[in-house]
Amino acid sequence: MSLRHVILTALAESPASGYDIAKSFEQTMRFYWSAKHQQVYRDIKALAVEGLVEAVHVAQTHRPDKVIYRLTDKGRSELRSWVATAVEPRINSEFLVKLLAASAFGTLVARDLLRQQRTIHAARLALYQDIEQNLRAHANTVAMPLAEHMRVATLRRGLRGEKDWIDWIDESLKLIADIDGTACQLAPLPQPA
Amino acid sequence: MSLRHVILTALAESPASGYDIAKSFEQTMRFYWSAKHQQVYRDIKALAVEGLVEAVHVAQTHRPDKVIYRLTDKGRSELRSWVATAVEPRINSEFLVKLLAASAFGTLVARDLLRQQRTIHAARLALYQDIEQNLRAHANTVAMPLAEHMRVATLRRGLRGEKDWIDWIDESLKLIADIDGTACQLAPLPQPA
DNA sequence: TATCTCATGTAAGTGGTTACATGATTGC
DNA sequence: GCAATCATGTAACCACTTACATGAGATA
């Protein structure tokens, strides 16, 4: 039931086609959701059948025709009641599992994995900082509607998260270095060939 | 392919039954993974068929019989190659979507949602801090094997994450308060009944 | 007597990914 | 001429959840 509500949320802001929504998963929504176009088309049809959105077919001359969807009152009230309660966030972290698995193969394996992960988070952080720069340039903080403020807040959430991961990785790398430092002194010297 | 690797990771530490593994999702693994026993039993059988784990049937007198699984060499090398590469973490956050949806219904709705979420994270933080206390009491930092150190690191990751969420929520609540403050001054006074 | 833990499962359903497909138009 | 963008889908599959089921022994 999740993507359904993501779609409703997108349509709450303004009517859009399946294509538009699918695309926004690579742009404005990328900080908090991703989905494939196939899934979007499938689910938005289901929403139409249930009467939560309604479709308007728009014929175009120099492009394929498209179907614009907008929230119905039913859709809006569904969204309203969905929004009322927070839920326990999932914590399934493939990375943390990998780290523990890596530990079974020694400090070097764990260290490499942490370093790789660091580059991933560093890249994301750089991207988010870039976007923040652009926002700052164009934002007129005073008269911004709430939704805009919250959109910026989601970006801030992303920034914070990435920074925090990087800090934790550095902390963990240092821990491993300490272990390795003492371990190396005890390790057998390499055998001459 | 994820839970399969989580199971292999669990078995890399020591052989266990499906029941043991299922239970550890509520205990040692709870910081980074959760899964239902049905899924565990299903997947561990698949792993056995593929030869990544092997089963030993253990008859018990005063308890139901059980099946203990252990990693095979094939399983261990599968785990080793899985561990080699980091992956882009998923960011699908139901909460952030809800926050944006909530914003469409006004500051009060958004504020309530943020507050609810804060309680959830505060509760988790408290739990993690508790566990950290226990660990500190029993840990002998010197001679701990790498896997133990990394297990503590995953807890630290949880602690950090919860703290960071709480800070961000407070920041966002303050932002909303500011908006609301100015908005209230501009808002029409309540009509006398 | 009732509930909890041990130990294992089947069946149905939901949510998401991957592979494959079509066909026109715009820009290099 | 070739890739990218616009616009929409089908089919198969993988991952996970929910509901339901069994049956013995331990604990209150």
Side-chain angles (χ1 to χ4, degrees), chain B residues 23-174:
Chain B
K23 239 187 19 172
S24 69
F25 285 121
E26 285 146 33
Q27 319 210 335
T28 48
M29 298 201 208
R30 74 139 83 76
F31 314 119
Y32 48 90
W33 206 268
S34 78
K36 316 282 171 181
H37 72 270
Q38 294 94 326
Q39 207 191 339
V40 173
Y41 287 123
R42 193 193 292 162
D43 284 11
I44 207 165
K45 274 186 180 174
L47 288 170
V49 169
E50 292 163 31
L52 299 175
V53 303
E54 51 186 21
V56 183
H57 295 258
V58 177
Q60 299 185 119
T61 46
H62 294 301
R63 317 228 138 235
D65 296 354
K66 60 180 173 179
V67 185
I68 301 284
Y69 295 89
R70 48 179 285 260
L71 265 194
T72 60
D73 287 346
K74 196 176 165 194
R76 179 164 288 269
S77 75
E78 164 57 30
L79 193 58
R80 178 65 184 83
S81 63
W82 175 68
V83 136
T85 57
V87 286
E88 293 272 334
R90 302 267 163 90
I91 31 72
N92 288 18
S93 163
E94 184 166 348
F95 174 75
L96 289 181
V97 176
K98 261 196 192 184
L99 179 61
L100 288 178
S103 306
F105 297 101
T107 48
L108 294 184
V109 181
R111 201 195 55 190
D112 280 1
L113 185 65
L114 279 163
R115 283 186 185 162
Q116 276 187 60
Q117 197 69 11
R118 196 186 193 285
T119 0
I120 289 173
H121 288 296
R124 277 203 195 163
L125 178 59
L127 176 69
Y128 292 174
Q129 280 170 338
D130 240 50
I131 296 171
E132 200 192 20
Q133 287 301 311
N134 282 349
L135 274 182
R136 270 190 207 292
H138 300 303
N140 53 336
T141 328
V142 195
M144 243 175 11
L146 178 63
E148 275 311 301
H149 277 292
M150 289 300 102
R151 192 176 304 289
V152 177
T154 62
L155 173 59
R156 293 267 327 136
R157 180 55 256 172
L159 277 166
R160 270 182 171 280
E162 300 305 334
K163 274 183 199 156
D164 198 49
W165 265 96
I166 291 171
D167 289 348
W168 173 82
I169 287 172
D170 289 340
E171 186 184 299
S172 303
L173 280 171
K174 192 172 170 307

Side-chain angles (χ1 to χ4, degrees), chain A residues 99 101-112 176 180, chain B residues 80 146 150:
Chain A
L99 179 61
S103 306
F105 296 101
T107 47
L108 295 184
V109 180
R111 201 195 55 190
D112 280 3
I176 286 184
D180 232 20
Chain B
R80 178 65 184 83
L146 178 63
M150 289 300 102

Side-chain angles (χ1 to χ4, degrees), chain A:
Chain A
M1 271 272 130
S2 265
L3 178 60
R4 308 274 268 271
H5 288 106
V6 181
I7 292 173
L8 293 178
T9 303
L11 294 180
E13 214 189 330
S14 74
S17 66
Y19 187 84
D20 295 333
I21 294 170
K23 237 186 21 171
S24 68
F25 285 120
E26 285 147 31
Q27 319 212 334
T28 48
M29 297 201 208
R30 75 139 82 75
F31 314 119
Y32 48 90
W33 206 268
S34 79
K36 316 284 172 182
H37 72 270
Q38 294 94 325
Q39 207 192 339
V40 173
Y41 287 123
R42 192 199 285 165
D43 284 13
I44 207 166
K45 275 186 180 174
L47 288 171
V49 169
E50 292 163 30
L52 300 175
V53 303
E54 51 187 20
V56 183
H57 294 258
V58 177
Q60 298 185 119
T61 46
H62 294 300
R63 315 231 137 234
D65 295 355
K66 60 180 174 179
V67 185
I68 301 285
Y69 295 89
R70 48 179 286 262
L71 266 194
T72 61
D73 287 347
K74 195 176 166 193
R76 178 165 289 268
S77 76
E78 163 57 31
L79 193 59
R80 179 65 184 82
S81 64
W82 176 69
V83 136
T85 56
V87 287
E88 293 272 335
R90 301 267 164 90
I91 30 74
N92 289 19
S93 164
E94 185 167 347
F95 175 74
L96 290 180
V97 177
K98 262 195 193 186
L99 179 61
L100 288 178
S103 306
F105 296 101
T107 47
L108 295 184
V109 180
R111 201 195 55 190
D112 280 3
L113 184 66
L114 280 163
R115 284 186 183 162
Q116 276 187 59
Q117 197 70 10
R118 197 187 193 284
T119 19
I120 289 174
H121 288 295
R124 277 203 195 165
L125 179 59
L127 175 70
Y128 292 174
Q129 280 169 338
D130 238 50
I131 296 171
E132 201 192 20
Q133 286 301 311
N134 283 348
L135 274 182
R136 271 190 205 291
H138 300 304
N140 56 334
T141 327
V142 195
M144 243 174 14
L146 178 63
E148 276 310 302
H149 277 291
M150 288 301 102
R151 192 176 305 290
V152 177
T154 61
L155 173 58
R156 292 265 331 134
R157 181 54 256 171
L159 277 165
R160 270 181 171 281
E162 299 305 334
K163 273 183 200 155
D164 198 47
W165 266 96
I166 290 171
D167 288 348
W168 173 82
I169 288 172
D170 288 341
E171 186 183 300
S172 303
L173 280 172
K174 192 172 169 308
L175 178 65
I176 286 184
D178 290 350
I179 296 169
D180 232 20
T182 56
C184 274
Q185 288 162 23
L186 298 170
L189 292 172
Q191 302 295 319

